[in-house]
Every structure is written in C-alpha cells, then in structure tokens.
Amino acid sequence: ETWLVASIERADERDIKQGMLGCPSCYAEYPIVDGVVRFDDATTRAPFIAADEREATRLAAALDLTDPRMTAVLVGECGAQAPLIGAMTPAHLLLINPPEGLASGDGVSIVLSNTVPLATASIDAVAIDAHVSDAVVARLVSALRGGRRMLGPVSRGVPSSLKELVRGDDAW
C-alpha cells in the first residue's frame, strides 16, 4: 500500500490521457491509454450498456454521493451509470472494469484490473455488480472508510463486516 507516481505524456486539464503510473517501491509500471489505467491487460470489459436514469438515481442516492470530496467506486456493470451519476453529484467516480463505451474525464476515472488497486480506508462508497469475485469484494470492503456505504445485488450476501441498512427487491 503506497502511492503511485504519474508520468504524464498528454493531459486534458486535470485528466491524464496518456502516460504511466509507477510504484516507487517495486518499480512496477502501469500504462494510461486514452485516459484508462491498465493494471492488467487481460481484463475484459462487458459490452456497452446504456445508462438508465432510474438506476443512476438509485445508485447516487443509496451511496449518499453529496460531498465533492467523496470518491465512489463503481465496479463492473455499475459503471454504466457514471455519465448520469456524474451529472447528479460532485463526487469523483472511479470505475473499475466498466462496460465498453465509457470515457474518463469530468470527474470520472477508469481502471482495468483483476485486483483492487486501492489503499485501505481510502474510498467513500462502492457499488458492485453480480459478477465481482469474493476476493474483490473483500478488498473493496477493506478500502471502504468506516461508516461509509456499499451497494450490492441481493444475489450476493452482505459482507459480514458490514451492517445492512436497507434491502430492496434487487439490491442491499
């Protein structure tokens, strides 16, 4: 758990479009291509999914995305809602393995990775889809700051370290 150093080849305002992230401890390097950080080249993305206003509103409200200092992680298919959520909230959105067709910028960052490249207690909210592995869920829970929110499908159990606040027909 350490910070990474960015080497910027091309940026658009505060968004890095081309460059490299490097680890000062192990010297690993991760390319940034078209605004997407590629921690793992083998990671695949789902086909394009259109954003749905009802689903985006539900995610933004359930995750309580009201503070511009917040960082919310949307994993897998949840990332499809980022364009609409970004218009509703000042929070920064980090998409891990989102569907195809989404672009970084304007408060949205994209990471492709089979792991969770986040430090412990570093994020404010998480939404996961049904395809996320148990190992990734466990790592996301550890990256969640205390007292913050996670949203998941009812097909997955609520992680034991979290307290269920509400359950609907398809999400907790």
Side-chain angles (χ1 to χ4, degrees), residues 28-129:
E29 293 182 330
Y30 308 100
I32 303 168
V33 179
D34 296 326
V36 177
V37 181
R38 298 176 186 273
F39 282 93
D40 184 349
D41 285 333
T43 301
T44 59
R45 297 170 73 175
F48 175 77
I49 299 171
D52 174 84
E53 188 170 349
R54 182 175 172 270
E55 180 64 11
T57 302
R58 180 181 79 141
L59 281 174
L63 296 175
D64 192 27
L65 302 180
T66 57
D67 190 325
R69 296 169 295 180
M70 293 178 77
T71 298
V73 176
L74 305 177
V75 182
E77 293 177 1
C78 296
Q81 307 310 320
L84 294 177
I85 293 172
M88 295 177 205
T89 177
H92 184 82
L93 303 176
L94 174 62
L95 313 183
I96 298 179
N97 305 331
E100 292 287 347
L102 295 166
S104 66
D106 295 325
V108 175
S109 298
I110 298 176
V111 169
L112 299 181
S113 179
N114 285 325
T115 62
V116 177
L118 299 170
T120 301
S122 63
I123 57 174
D124 301 294
V126 177
I128 60 171
D129 67 16

Side-chain angles (χ1 to χ4, degrees), residues 123-138:
I123 57 174
D124 301 294
V126 177
I128 60 171
D129 67 16
H131 309 293
V132 178
S133 72
D134 292 340
V136 167
V137 171

